[in-house]
Amino acid sequence: MTVVLAYTNRYMSVIMSDDRINYGRHQEFGYIDGTTKLIELPNMGWISGAGLSDYLDKLKDSLANLEPTNTDEIKEVYKKVIEKCKDEDPDLAEDIDESVAVVSWISSDTKEIFFRVGVLSAKHFGEKLMILQNGHIFIAYPGDYLDNPIKAETLEKKYNLHIGEELDFYSILKNMFEIFKEIALDSKYVSNNCDVGIQVLQQDGIYKLKISGDIFDLLNKVNNNKLDKEFKVVNVFSFF
């Protein structure tokens, strides 16, 4: 279990995740922090997930080798992985279905480039790939929020998840950091450590960036205009 937040607009996509691995459905066997669950997809963007870690790791590995030309290819990989995992361990079928994977990539036509974030969850969407609506913050909640929906309802009343597409880059991150902090403080399944995978359009190309750190430190830096030094450039797709 974990928390994953995601956002996309015409110029960028963001996926952020904590780094806690919980042992047992209700953490009855403890937990460990420091396990990076946000993975770079070399030919796409980023992927993270909430739920059964063994299944999610296999899905991440399979998508890491994909060079998609359309969303059907992502769905086909997802279908094969989920079927194989259920065949290997039928007792975990329910946990696999309840797991949520969040993945980003870039698509284009002859005129435009589109930043995409998709959500895969058998329980909620079957074999479909749910494309995140631009301007909306998506949250894959940890188990204690799923067990008590009032917690999620309270959070979503406090924070506006429909932040739109017009906010600047740092305001978008600040909004997401604030929500992440709230969940980290409230959920025993979520750590304070935050990994952030970004794809963003710049004048000379599309930059793939990563930020990692304690959520309170990241919030302090974005509030004081000091977040620039935290970005690691993972790759650049140049227009020239």
Side-chain angles (χ1 to χ4, degrees):
M1 299 182 188
T2 192
V3 65
V4 181
L5 277 70
Y7 170 88
T8 186
N9 63 23
R10 291 165 291 174
Y11 309 109
M12 65 182 290
S13 66
V14 184
I15 296 176
M16 60 176 61
S17 171
D18 79 308
D19 66 358
R20 177 166 294 176
I21 295 291
N22 297 280
Y23 298 106
R25 177 177 281 271
H26 301 292
Q27 208 182 81
E28 56 267 33
F29 303 114
Y31 68 87
I32 185 170
D33 291 344
T35 302
T36 301
K37 294 184 284 186
L38 176 76
I39 304 300
E40 184 213 355
L41 301 176
N43 303 312
M44 297 173 62
W46 300 90
I47 184 170
S48 190
L52 186 65
S53 58
D54 288 346
Y55 151 67
L56 290 168
D57 287 344
K58 290 176 182 177
L59 180 59
K60 293 171 187 178
D61 290 342
S62 296
L63 286 175
N65 298 316
L66 185 67
E67 294 187 42
T69 57
N70 59 64
T71 56
D72 287 339
E73 295 180 48
I74 299 174
K75 288 188 287 185
E76 186 61 27
V77 169
Y78 166 66
K79 181 180 178 180
K80 288 179 180 178
V81 171
I82 204 168
E83 288 177 350
K84 183 178 180 181
C85 288
K86 287 183 179 181
D87 286 342
E88 291 175 347
D89 202 334
D91 292 340
L92 294 177
E94 183 178 350
D95 292 328
I96 292 170
D97 283 344
E98 291 179 352
S99 298
V100 179
V102 185
V103 57
S104 64
W105 71 96
I106 296 170
S107 63
S108 64
D109 57 23
T110 56
K111 296 181 180 179
E112 291 186 80
I113 292 171
F114 304 97
F115 290 85
R116 299 296 193 207
V117 173
V119 182
L120 297 159
S121 172
K123 179 179 180 179
H124 298 96
F125 312 116
E127 295 179 358
K128 295 180 180 179
L129 174 64
M130 192 278 283
I131 305 297
L132 184 61
Q133 176 187 350
N134 280 9
H136 175 79
I137 297 174
F138 169 82
I139 306 174
Y141 285 104
D144 41 8
Y145 275 69
L146 298 177
D147 292 339
N148 184 2
I150 292 177
K151 292 168 75 71
E153 292 173 12
T154 301
L155 180 88
E156 292 178 19
K157 286 179 181 178
K158 181 175 180 179
Y159 296 97
N160 178 24
L161 301 188
H162 300 276
I163 61 174
E165 298 189 62
E166 305 308 321
L167 291 178
D168 65 80
F169 178 78
Y170 293 100
S171 295
I172 291 166
L173 292 180
K174 180 180 178 181
N175 272 272
M176 297 179 75
F177 287 164
E178 290 283 3
I179 295 169
F180 186 103
K181 180 197 73 173
E182 184 93 1
I183 296 172
L185 285 172
D186 190 45
S187 173
K188 71 176 185 178
Y189 298 121
V190 177
S191 73
N192 291 344
N193 302 318
C194 182
D195 290 311
V196 187
I198 300 166
Q199 288 184 294
V200 60
L201 181 65
Q202 299 289 293
Q203 290 184 342
D204 58 341
I206 297 170
Y207 281 66
K208 184 183 285 189
L209 309 173
K210 185 177 182 182
I211 315 170
S212 297
D214 179 273
I215 190 60
F216 296 95
D217 185 50
L218 293 176
L219 257 175
N220 179 63
K221 286 176 178 174
V222 76
N223 285 331
N224 291 284
N225 300 314
K226 294 181 178 179
L227 197 63
D228 283 347
K229 295 180 180 179
E230 301 303 311
F231 292 110
K232 175 185 177 183
V233 178
V234 177
N235 201 355
V236 181
F237 173 73
S238 178
F239 295 143
F240 305 105

